Amino acid sequence: PEDTMAIRGVLLCLMAVLSTGAAVTELTTENFDAEVANSNNVWIIEVASKMCGSCKEMAPRFKKVAKSYAQAKFGVIYVDKKPGLKLAQSFDGVMEQGLPSVIVLKDATSATKHVSIVKGDPVSASQLKTAIDKQVSGLAKDGNGVFVRQGNTEL
């Protein structure tokens, strides 16, 4: 009976880990180029701190949207340590907006070209999805690998 309870506990923990999935990639200075800058995807990136209360509130909402959103890749940059802070600071104005911040990267050829959609205050999952939809829907790569919206010029 005790072994069964221990096994059940391990299985529940494993299920919890697996259910979180890899929908959100932790981005660092080591993996940013390979994951983001050299990719052909639109990236939605949360800039957060593991110590920030608003960031902790926002994290499960961000993960929820990421799991259900196939049109983009999702990542998080934690600014608690110097490399993450340096990476976040490479996006003009993001650190001045407050945490959590969510940005949309549409152009891999200019990885710091971004649109901010959350600026310092947590939002609901539905508000986040609406803001992402507004930036991502209708995007496609042109012949030069730049994201464009039908009928519009380069974003």
Side-chain angles (χ1 to χ4, degrees):
E2 286 182 25
D3 289 341
T4 304
M5 292 297 285
I7 291 170
R8 182 180 294 172
V10 168
L11 288 174
L12 287 174
C13 288
L14 183 59
M15 287 171 45
V17 168
L18 292 175
S19 70
T20 60
V24 178
T25 302
E26 184 171 344
L27 299 171
T28 65
T29 52
E30 290 82 25
N31 71 357
F32 185 82
D33 284 344
E35 293 285 342
V36 181
N38 297 327
S39 80
N40 288 321
N41 297 300
V42 173
W43 276 83
I44 313 301
I45 300 174
E46 179 182 19
V47 179
S49 166
K50 292 180 180 180
M51 304 301 288
C52 162
S54 295
C55 299
K56 290 178 185 178
E57 182 182 340
M58 180 79 170
R61 300 170 188 169
F62 189 75
K63 287 178 184 174
K64 179 180 179 181
V65 173
K67 284 182 182 180
S68 65
Y69 209 90
Q71 299 93 319
K73 298 273 190 172
F74 286 73
V76 60
I77 299 171
Y78 290 111
V79 298
D80 302 290
K81 295 183 181 171
K82 195 170 188 172
L85 180 60
K86 185 178 177 183
L87 182 57
Q89 289 171 332
S90 70
F91 300 99
D92 293 336
V94 169
M95 292 305 297
E96 290 78 19
Q97 296 172 162
L99 299 175
S101 289
V102 177
I103 60 175
V104 178
L105 294 180
K106 300 176 185 176
D107 187 357
T109 62
S110 176
T112 57
K113 182 177 176 182
H114 67 277
V115 175
S116 294
I117 58 173
V118 174
K119 300 177 181 178
D121 292 315
V123 297
S124 71
S126 64
Q127 289 171 315
L128 179 60
K129 186 173 182 323
T130 298
I132 292 169
D133 284 342
K134 186 176 179 181
Q135 293 299 320
V136 175
S137 65
L139 288 180
K141 289 257 182 173
D142 69 7
N144 297 317
V146 176
F147 284 101
V148 294
R149 197 177 313 275
Q150 254 185 343
N152 288 355
T153 60
E154 180 180 326
L155 299 174

